[in-house]
Amino acid sequence: LVLRFAGSARATRVVVFAQLDPPGEWVPVAVGAPDDVALGWPAAWRDGRTIVERVKLVLTFPPGTQSATLSRVLLYPSVATRTSP
């Protein structure tokens, strides 16, 4: 997961949660720097048939940040699972 911001404000930390369906539990799947954070799916979700319906990002900004614009959220497969050259 890669996050991009417009302007000068940048998050210092991101916590990523995923949910299989809206009434379901939010499961933490990543913590790290927003430049590039690897998602760690629970083992039960790695069966090739599970679809995550929603992702929630909790962003931490430096003290004094009054506004920020998240301009892009990019989701790439891990190197180990990529099939294209």
Side-chain angles (χ1 to χ4, degrees), residues 29-52:
V29 294
V31 176
D35 296 336
D36 188 1
V37 62
L39 303 179
W41 301 118
W45 293 9
R46 289 182 260 150
D47 61 6
R49 296 182 314 271
T50 300
I51 297 173
V52 170

Side-chain angles (χ1 to χ4, degrees), residues 53-70:
E53 287 193 17
R54 300 195 311 175
V55 176
K56 175 171 59 174
L57 308 173
V58 177
L59 303 169
T60 302
F61 290 89
T65 302
Q66 294 186 5
S67 68
T69 301
L70 178 60

